[in-house]
Amino acid sequence: MSIERIRELTDKLNEAAKAYYSEDREIMSNLEYDRLYDELVELERKEGIILAGSPTIKVGYEALSELPKEEHESPMLSLDKTKEVEGLQSFLGAQEALISWKLDGLTVVLTYENGELVKAVTRGNGIIGEVITNNAKTFKNIPLKIEHQGVVTLRGEAVIRYSDFEKINAQIEDPDGKYKNPRNLCSGSVRQLNNEITAKRNVNFFAFALVRAEGVDFENSVENQFLWLQKQGFEVVEYKRVTKETVAEAVKEFSENIPYNDFPSDGLVVVMDDIAYGQSLGSTAKFPRNSIAFKWADEMAETTLLKIEWSASRTGLINPVAIFEPVELEGTTVSRASVHNISVMRALKLGEGDKIKVYKANMIIPQIAENLTQSGLAEIPRSCPVCGGATEIRKVKEGESLYCTNEECQAKRIKSFTLFASRDALNIEGLSEATLEKFVDSGFIREYTDIFRLERYKEQMITLEGFGEKSYNNLIDSIKKARKTTMPRLLYSLGIANVGLSTAKIICSEYAHDAERIMNAEEEDLSLINGIGEVIAKSFCQYFAKEQNRTQFLELIDLLEIEREEKAQSIFKGMVFVITGSVEHFSNRSEMKEFIEKNGGKVTGSVTSKTTYLINNDKTSTSSKNKKAKELNIPIISEEEVIAMTK
């Protein structure tokens, strides 16, 4: 029985590792991987059996790409790990060490000769990596030249900030096209064959180990290596010096800073400061003995799965969402979690009434950790929950997903009309998704242009439940106001895959807001525009390659009054704002964001050292953003103060 379980775990973990390291996708959570890995280690110890290819003796997988491959000068081993502070104290003994973030990105090895960056190689399988030198030269914070002229080799993590990740995802309208997490986005960005794409992704590099630096005496201290790297122009992973007595407090400080950290991390790393002592410890076949990883034991809650809810999108994708009895996790109440796709749902063997364990991945995203009862009773709907049309399971990059096959599915149409009427698009107040559903069912709306001809259905409209003459008049007034719009808003409203409002603004600016030029833009030309790239260019041109879309676009141009957007003023030029809390003078945060951008400013989602002002009408709030702003001495101002700056 045990040997069968060893075989099962070996296969399962290898499959997960291959997906994670070679294919930039995840088929199980980090928590689940760690749990199965620990089980395998214990079984191998108990049985005295380790199969060839066991993940406990093998590091990673050979990368699958067209990038050149190269063997590392010295193997890049994984780290042993613990989830207990006592484990760190036992590891430290009487030694001093450095504790730092374990960043969750892509490990890269850099080599400098004569002061210049000559080579960058990914970790790969720990023995052989992929050469990404041209891509590394576009990383946001890597020095292309350093003062030291001898050979320098160092290791670090390439990562993408949460704020940049959210910005990139916000520009992708197609749910299928959105990235799952910053790690996947970073991995794909670093391993691009076209380094122009890498340059647009704002990849950062943080050094965490110096392999060698010819002719430099570091006085037997890893910290001195870090300090020297900083002097050479590198950003070094944030760290603290610790001993057995102080490591618990350091872990506590790091954990308290997780909500403020703009970089993804999945734990901490402790490395002996005494270089010679660390080297004398040697290594196992898989782990070096001079360092260890610490992973937080995620706060877990047991609850009952009430149902699987199926959520349809305008692309036809139907996502499973787990609805469970509310539980408290990391200070907030959660009652639902995405199951991601059919593959994950099947693996968890979900069914109504199952007892499940839930947690927040990296203390942020609600996830199902384990299904304790595994009834497997959840049915995959054969018909779309919206239109009743046939569904089909399709294999996509991250596994198997469910799709509606009906091209006329109301979800696809209603979601598209909802986007068209949304605030950032045509901004038609009163045309909610529920109202649109009634109008589509009644045959009033079949195309976007029908929205501007609703007056011909007045008699039928005022007889609809919950929609009287007053509602009708308000809606018609709103539609009349919406006729005055801008080209970027119109372009965004069409729902072109991957084209958000900011992308629409870039395209309109490039083609002087000329409808004919925009509609006939060439894919090659679009892809060269800063902020666009190949994926957006392809989906944009595919949209306008369809005659019905071209006709619809031109009909809308004739129906609408297209105004040129006012050129942004420079009052806030160079300033970075973060908005939090409720707003009073603006109808919502999006309107305030637009106001700031029109005046030349920039709005981001996270408070960092680069933030100029945090806008919060409640300056005494104890929110995480207020706390972070005070720590960084960033002024907290109100809406009125922002408006006053423009007068």
Side-chain angles (χ1 to χ4, degrees):
M1 187 69 178
S2 293
I3 185 63
E4 291 302 317
R5 182 59 175 163
I6 288 174
R7 287 196 180 98
E8 180 187 352
L9 290 171
T10 297
D11 291 343
K12 188 176 289 188
L13 290 168
N14 280 340
E15 183 184 356
K18 182 178 180 181
Y20 187 83
Y21 288 110
S22 297
E23 300 168 6
D24 302 332
R25 62 188 181 93
E26 294 181 43
I27 60 175
M28 69 172 65
S29 68
N30 287 340
L31 187 75
E32 176 70 359
Y33 186 93
D34 290 344
R35 186 181 70 78
L36 297 180
Y37 185 92
D38 291 343
E39 182 185 347
L40 179 59
V41 169
E42 180 58 27
L43 280 174
E44 289 177 339
R45 183 197 64 76
K46 178 182 174 183
E47 300 296 325
I49 298 171
I50 300 179
L51 300 176
S54 169
T56 65
I57 60 168
K58 188 176 69 173
V59 182
Y61 272 83
E62 182 178 354
L64 303 175
S65 80
E66 298 177 30
L67 292 167
K69 296 179 177 63
E70 184 171 302
E71 187 171 347
H72 295 295
E73 289 184 24
S74 58
M76 298 184 65
L77 302 177
S78 299
L79 293 178
D80 199 0
K81 64 181 183 300
T82 180
K83 292 186 177 182
E84 306 295 334
V85 172
E86 291 78 8
L88 295 181
Q89 292 171 329
S90 175
F91 167 81
L92 283 166
Q95 294 294 313
E96 293 189 358
L98 306 182
I99 187 170
S100 63
W101 291 113
K102 185 177 182 292
L103 297 178
D104 191 18
L106 193 71
T107 301
V108 176
V109 184
L110 303 181
T111 300
Y112 288 76
E113 293 178 2
N114 300 317
E116 293 190 6
L117 175 64
V118 295
K119 188 166 55 181
V121 185
T122 67
R123 180 182 184 277
N125 65 1
I127 305 297
I128 297 174
E130 298 165 301
V131 180
I132 54 151
T133 310
N134 287 339
N135 292 346
K137 288 179 178 178
T138 71
F139 288 1
K140 196 172 180 181
N141 63 340
I142 275 187
L144 298 181
K145 291 186 178 182
I146 61 175
E147 181 182 5
H148 188 70
Q149 296 299 298
V151 176
V152 175
T153 304
L154 66 146
R155 296 171 181 167
E157 199 79 355
V159 294
I160 288 179
R161 294 177 183 268
Y162 279 120
S163 51
D164 287 323
F165 169 75
E166 290 164 2
K167 189 187 303 178
I168 291 168
N169 255 357
Q171 295 172 355
I172 302 173
E173 293 305 314
D174 182 357
D176 294 350
K178 290 184 183 290
Y179 295 95
K180 299 296 182 186
N181 52 54
R183 192 264 171 199
N184 283 12
L185 173 58
C186 182
S187 179
S189 301
V190 169
R191 299 164 66 209
Q192 285 287 332
L193 298 179
N194 180 356
N195 68 349
E196 185 180 359
I197 297 173
T198 308
K200 294 173 182 176
R201 301 285 175 80
N202 282 345
V203 179
N204 285 259
F205 176 87
F206 291 91
F208 61 67
L210 180 63
V211 179
R212 66 168 168 165
E214 286 183 344
V216 184
D217 180 8
F218 296 107
E219 299 177 349
N220 198 39
S221 168
V222 171
E223 184 172 21
N224 286 345
Q225 291 180 333
F226 279 11
L227 295 172
W228 182 83
L229 284 170
Q230 288 176 328
K231 288 180 181 178
Q232 298 299 311
F234 296 98
E235 285 195 59
V236 173
V237 65
E238 181 187 347
Y239 71 91
K240 297 179 184 294
R241 196 174 183 91
V242 293
T243 63
K244 179 180 179 180
E245 289 72 29
T246 62
V247 69
E249 181 60 28
V251 169
K252 181 173 179 289
E253 288 179 21
F254 272 101
S255 64
E256 288 172 347
N257 281 321
I258 288 175
Y260 313 121
N261 196 7
D262 200 23
F263 292 107
S265 65
D266 56 0
L268 303 171
V269 174
V270 175
V271 59
M272 299 290 189
D273 184 56
D274 188 319
I275 297 173
Y277 177 77
Q279 290 174 343
S280 73
L281 298 175
S283 63
T284 67
K286 185 175 174 68
F287 307 123
R289 291 195 174 100
N290 71 330
S291 52
I292 190 171
F294 173 83
K295 295 194 131 187
W296 282 281
D298 297 282
E299 183 181 344
M300 197 83 62
E302 188 174 317
T303 184
T304 301
L305 179 67
L306 301 176
K307 64 178 179 177
I308 296 291
E309 192 175 87
W310 297 89
S311 176
S313 73
R314 63 185 178 83
T315 65
L317 175 67
I318 305 173
N319 278 321
V321 179
I323 310 299
F324 46 82
E325 291 182 353
V327 290
E328 289 288 322
L329 285 176
E330 310 293 351
T332 61
T333 302
V334 294
S335 60
R336 56 195 292 129
S338 171
V339 187
H340 302 300
N341 54 43
I342 299 296
S343 298
V344 173
M345 192 186 79
R346 283 174 170 165
L348 287 168
K349 298 179 181 178
L350 294 174
E352 292 182 12
D354 278 346
K355 295 296 180 184
I356 59 174
K357 284 187 175 181
V358 293
Y359 72 107
K360 281 188 176 180
N362 291 333
M363 301 188 181
I364 298 172
I365 305 168
Q367 299 279 307
I368 297 177
E370 185 180 0
N371 184 2
L372 301 174
T373 46
Q374 298 190 342
S375 71
L377 296 176
E379 292 186 4
I380 299 170
R382 295 184 179 181
S383 58
C384 173
V386 175
C387 72
T391 61
E392 69 176 16
I393 296 173
R394 300 175 190 169
K395 286 192 174 183
V396 290
K397 188 171 76 170
E398 64 272 10
E400 291 184 320
S401 291
L402 189 68
Y403 284 84
C404 173
T405 60
N406 178 16
E407 287 301 321
E408 298 301 314
C409 176
Q410 287 176 312
K412 298 178 185 179
R413 298 167 70 193
I414 292 169
K415 295 286 186 183
S416 294
F417 291 136
T418 303
L419 172 66
F420 185 83
S422 66
R423 196 179 306 276
D424 287 338
L426 272 291
N427 192 22
I428 306 174
E429 293 182 15
L431 203 54
S432 65
E433 188 168 322
T435 301
L436 278 165
E437 191 171 344
K438 292 177 184 177
F439 290 176
V440 170
D441 286 345
S442 301
F444 304 159
I445 299 175
R446 291 184 176 86
E447 306 291 344
Y448 294 136
T449 51
D450 293 335
I451 292 172
F452 300 97
R453 302 186 179 108
L454 282 172
E455 288 173 276
R456 56 189 173 182
Y457 297 109
K458 178 180 178 180
E459 296 306 317
Q460 296 100 308
M461 287 169 66
I462 60 177
T463 62
L464 293 174
E465 185 181 347
F467 199 88
E469 187 145 357
K470 184 178 180 180
S471 297
Y472 168 82
N473 290 331
N474 289 339
L475 177 59
I476 295 303
D477 286 343
S478 182
I479 290 172
K480 286 178 181 176
K481 290 179 185 176
R483 283 180 181 270
K484 288 186 177 182
T485 190
T486 64
M487 187 63 76
R489 282 177 172 269
L490 173 58
L491 204 57
Y492 167 63
S493 74
L494 299 176
I496 303 171
N498 306 313
V499 177
L501 182 57
S502 58
T503 302
K505 288 179 179 179
I506 293 170
I507 293 172
C508 289
S509 176
E510 181 70 20
Y511 293 101
H513 296 250
D514 186 302
E516 285 290 334
R517 291 181 64 194
I518 290 169
M519 190 171 61
N520 295 305
E522 297 286 340
E523 184 176 333
E524 185 178 351
D525 295 334
L526 277 168
S527 65
L528 296 176
I529 300 171
N530 187 31
I532 303 300
E534 294 176 1
V535 174
I536 295 174
K538 185 176 182 179
S539 60
F540 188 88
C541 291
Q542 283 177 342
Y543 179 87
F544 281 111
K546 295 180 180 179
E547 192 57 39
Q548 65 192 55
N549 290 338
R550 295 170 68 87
T551 301
Q552 180 178 242
F553 180 58
L554 292 174
E555 287 179 355
L556 286 168
I557 294 289
D558 289 338
L559 279 170
L560 303 171
E561 294 179 42
I562 307 296
E563 303 172 327
R564 287 294 294 266
E565 288 189 324
E566 294 179 21
K567 193 172 182 181
Q569 300 180 50
S570 57
I571 297 170
F572 295 146
K573 186 176 181 181
M575 296 185 186
V576 179
F577 296 81
V578 174
I579 306 169
T580 191
S582 59
V583 292
E584 298 168 1
H585 296 277
F586 297 90
S587 58
N588 53 56
R589 292 189 196 175
S590 293
E591 188 177 299
M592 188 176 192
K593 178 176 183 286
E594 192 172 333
F595 170 78
I596 291 170
E597 289 175 345
K598 278 186 177 179
N599 285 282
K602 181 180 178 183
V603 178
T604 63
S606 304
V607 177
T608 70
S609 58
K610 294 182 180 179
T611 303
T612 310
Y613 294 105
L614 170 64
I615 304 170
N616 191 347
N617 289 321
D618 183 3
K619 296 182 182 181
T620 61
S621 166
T622 57
S623 69
S624 61
K625 285 188 171 69
N626 273 33
K627 287 179 181 177
K628 187 66 173 178
K630 288 172 183 176
E631 286 175 13
L632 298 174
N633 293 319
I634 292 166
I636 303 173
I637 61 176
S638 66
E639 282 176 89
E640 289 183 353
E641 290 173 283
V642 176
I643 295 168
M645 291 181 187
T646 63
K647 294 180 179 179

